């Protein structure tokens, strides 16, 4: 890959979690995928899908449309310098498009495949907020409760509500935008951070505006919501998410790691969010710093299932889902934000970015269509997220009336590399 000076650090929209049942977390050991018969695969719902002689689903979108998508994805991949791309597009009544292109490892040339696990960064936020909303449905918390009711020491915490935190309107300074945090993390990417430790970097700063006044993407908000879930439920966030979210959703290949664990198979991930600005392999970096905001891991087919669940509210009451989807403007044309979820020209879901990896998981209600994208780099191209470039190229072709297009990153979604 090319060398590119780093202009930003981690996406504030990153990191992940798990839940309870017998209160046991997934052990920190590698998980190996079973061998795959290349003439037959299984979709996210366990349904067998036959492949044609070229290894493509026989119920695809047709040769002409498939060829256009192949060309568009490959052009973006090469232009943006993306090592490997995995795409899953499902359009009921029209067909599907499932592809892996490029390499999972630039050193060995190992090809990208559709069965890989991937770090999903800020897509974790959809799981954390779903867990929070389960507590709302249980009657144990209210969205308009102040954070000070549950967590002490939050600047202005008596006026900041759980709703403000989930909709990114708290005014709390994003800890991931603090230069000291960037330096400490990048000096030792294997380091483990606690939630309180990362919050301390943000709490050194004055709040940036009064609660509710405007939108500012901040990982600090989600770390606090994770602590609320633990305080109210009496369980670790990883266990609560596993029991109340992952298990009911039947997401068997999604996990909230507590350290640098990474199930097999997975792609190597490449980043220029480094002290030197040079490209490094970030595959085994510890994502603990992102915790409830961006630490989770998943795969293509679990995310296919999750896209519809989170957008339609399968796990929540209709009233709570309506609250979640009450979208407010972000200041970026075409992009609105609800409670831990966004809407981009009709597509509902979230993206994720963490050093070495990016993802997009979105659902289009008007077409009942699902789009999932996984990349093994987070290096921007001409100031834009590579995952957004891929998503835009695909939706311009298949849903021209609804183009996923976020021309600029969300505010404070990346850190500035500390000066030496």
């Amino acid at each position: 890959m090319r060398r590119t000076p780093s202009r930003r650090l981690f996406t504030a929209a990153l990191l992940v979690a798990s839940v309870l049942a017998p209160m046991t977390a997934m052990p920190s050991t590698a998980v190996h995928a079973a061998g795959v018969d290349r003439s037959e695969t299984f979709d996210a719902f366990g349904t067998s899908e036959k492949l044609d002689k070229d290894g493509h689903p026989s119920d695809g979108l047709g040769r002409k449309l498939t060829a256009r998508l192949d060309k568009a994805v490959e052009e973006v991949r090469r232009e943006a310098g993306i090592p490997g791309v995995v795409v899953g597009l499902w359009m009921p009544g029209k067909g599907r498009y499932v592809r892996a292109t490029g390499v999972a490892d630039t050193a060995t040339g190992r090809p990208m495949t559709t069965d890989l696990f991937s770090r999903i960064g800020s897509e974790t936020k959809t799981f954390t907020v779903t867990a929070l909303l389960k507590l709302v449905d249980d009657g144990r918390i209210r969205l308009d409760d102040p954070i000070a009711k549950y967590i002490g020491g939050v600047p202005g915490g008596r006026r900041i509500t759980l709703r403000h935190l989930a909709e990114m309107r708290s005014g709390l300074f994003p800890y991931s935008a603090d230069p000291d945090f960037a330096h400490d993390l990048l000096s030792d990417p294997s380091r483990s951070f606690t939630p309180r430790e990362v919050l301390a970097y943000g709490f050194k700063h004055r709040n940036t505006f009064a609660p509710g006044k405007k939108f500012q993407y901040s990982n600090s908000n989600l770390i606090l919501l994770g602590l609320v879930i633990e305080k109210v439920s009496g369980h670790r966030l990883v266990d609560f998410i596993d029991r109340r979210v992952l298990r009911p959703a039947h997401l068997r290949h999604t996990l909230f790691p507590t350290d640098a664990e990474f199930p097999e198979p997975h792609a190597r991930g490449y980043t220029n969010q480094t002290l030197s600005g040079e490209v490094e392999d970030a595959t085994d970096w510890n994502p603990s710093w992102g915790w409830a905001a961006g630490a989770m891991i998943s795969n293509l087919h679990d995310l296919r299932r999750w896209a519809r669940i989170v957008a339609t509210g399968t796990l929540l009451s209709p009233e709570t889902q309506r609250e979640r989807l009450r979208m407010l403007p972000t200041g970026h044309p075409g992009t609105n934000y609800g409670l831990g979820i966004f809407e981009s020209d009709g597509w509902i879901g979230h993206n994720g970015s963490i050093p070495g990896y990016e993802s997009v998981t979105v659902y289009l209600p008007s077409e009942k269509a699902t789009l999932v994208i996984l990349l093994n780099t987070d290096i921007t191209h001409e100031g834009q997220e590579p995952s957004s470039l891929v998503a835009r190229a695909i939706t311009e072709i298949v849903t021209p009336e609804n183009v996923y297009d976020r021309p600029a990153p969300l505010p404070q979604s990346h850190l500035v590399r500390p000066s030496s």
Side-chain angles (χ1 to χ4, degrees):
M1 288 189 65
R2 66 198 185 287
R3 287 179 53 182
T4 310
S6 177
R7 297 298 182 194
R8 46 97 190 189
L9 212 26
F10 319 116
T11 312
L14 306 183
L15 317 184
V16 189
S18 266
V19 196
L20 11 138
M23 288 289 142
T24 56
M26 185 175 293
S28 299
T29 56
V31 179
H32 295 272
V36 179
D37 177 356
R38 295 305 175 185
S39 66
E40 183 176 21
T41 61
F42 294 85
D43 68 14
F45 302 95
T47 303
S48 174
E49 53 183 19
K50 289 292 184 180
L51 305 183
D52 63 22
K53 62 182 178 61
D54 297 317
H56 304 154
S58 57
D59 57 348
L61 294 171
R63 290 188 178 278
K64 288 186 178 180
L65 184 52
T66 296
R68 288 183 64 196
L69 289 170
D70 284 345
K71 180 181 179 182
V73 171
E74 188 61 12
E75 285 180 350
V76 171
R77 189 184 74 80
R78 293 183 181 278
E79 172 66 22
I82 304 167
V85 178
V86 174
V87 174
L89 172 68
W90 294 268
M91 304 186 73
K94 297 180 180 179
R96 70 187 74 191
Y97 175 83
V98 180
R99 281 288 193 281
T101 182
V103 297
D105 187 327
T106 60
T108 67
R110 174 167 58 95
M112 202 75 162
T113 56
T114 59
D115 61 347
L116 299 177
F117 286 88
S118 189
R119 299 196 189 277
I120 59 172
S122 282
E123 288 198 38
T124 302
K125 292 177 173 66
T126 62
F127 294 91
T128 299
V129 173
T130 298
L132 182 84
L133 296 178
K134 296 291 285 186
L135 292 173
V136 171
D137 276 344
D138 291 346
R140 303 185 68 181
I141 62 173
R142 296 182 306 120
L143 286 171
D144 295 317
D145 288 341
I147 185 61
K149 179 177 179 180
Y150 305 99
I151 308 296
V154 180
R158 293 184 180 278
R159 295 194 299 145
I160 297 172
T161 66
L162 304 185
R163 186 190 301 274
H164 288 142
L165 295 169
E167 65 189 12
M168 300 294 179
R169 291 173 177 270
S170 70
L172 290 171
F173 186 88
Y175 70 85
S176 46
D178 177 73
D180 290 335
F181 168 74
H183 178 271
D184 293 347
L185 175 61
L186 296 182
S187 296
D188 181 12
S190 66
R191 172 180 171 177
S192 182
F193 288 86
T194 68
R196 292 284 187 173
E197 284 175 341
V198 295
L199 285 174
Y201 290 99
F203 289 174
K204 295 186 305 181
H205 302 266
R206 295 173 61 89
N207 291 4
T208 56
F209 53 83
K213 291 299 183 181
K214 60 181 181 178
F215 176 92
Q216 181 186 37
Y217 199 86
S218 174
N219 281 333
S220 300
N221 297 330
L222 268 290
I223 301 299
L224 285 168
L225 293 181
L227 291 175
V228 170
I229 293 168
E230 292 195 330
K231 177 76 174 290
V232 174
S233 72
H235 297 292
R236 295 189 311 159
L237 179 63
V238 59
D239 296 326
F240 189 82
I241 288 177
D242 183 61
R243 179 181 173 183
R244 300 297 303 278
V245 182
L246 301 184
R247 294 185 185 211
H250 304 291
L251 303 181
R252 300 179 180 88
H253 299 95
T254 302
L255 67 148
F256 194 152
T258 56
D259 53 26
E261 72 172 299
F262 203 163
E264 294 283 358
H266 59 254
R268 308 302 297 180
Y270 304 94
T271 188
N272 64 354
Q273 296 195 68
T274 60
L275 289 178
S276 67
E278 295 186 9
V279 175
E280 294 182 10
D281 185 328
T283 307
D284 299 316
W285 288 13
N286 190 333
S288 63
W289 63 270
W291 195 52
M296 289 182 75
I297 293 169
S298 191
N299 70 2
L300 176 68
H301 293 298
D302 264 19
L303 292 175
R304 173 196 174 183
R305 179 186 287 275
W306 182 241
R308 184 176 184 277
I309 289 172
V310 73
T312 62
T314 302
L315 300 182
L316 303 173
S317 69
E319 295 78 13
T320 299
Q321 181 67 3
R322 281 195 291 272
E323 289 292 301
R324 171 173 225 161
L325 296 183
R326 189 172 69 93
M327 301 288 179
L328 297 174
T330 63
H332 296 282
T335 300
N336 301 301
Y337 206 86
L339 301 178
I341 196 168
F342 67 62
E343 181 270 327
S344 179
D345 200 15
W347 290 93
I348 298 172
H350 218 292
N351 65 327
S353 179
I354 193 168
Y357 301 90
E358 285 203 344
S359 59
V360 173
T361 297
V362 287
Y363 180 80
L364 183 62
S366 62
E367 297 282 345
K368 296 183 178 179
T370 299
L371 175 64
V372 179
I373 296 169
L374 301 171
L375 310 181
N376 60 339
T377 187
D378 66 311
I379 300 174
T380 58
H381 176 67
E382 297 181 350
Q384 296 193 55
E385 303 294 336
S387 58
S388 292
L389 296 174
V390 176
R392 185 186 313 159
I394 291 169
T395 55
E396 283 177 341
I397 293 172
V398 296
T399 56
E401 299 299 315
N402 302 94
V403 177
Y404 180 101
D405 186 14
R406 294 188 304 112
L410 295 174
Q412 297 294 346
S413 64
H414 298 98
L415 297 178
V416 176
R417 179 166 57 90
S419 57
S420 55

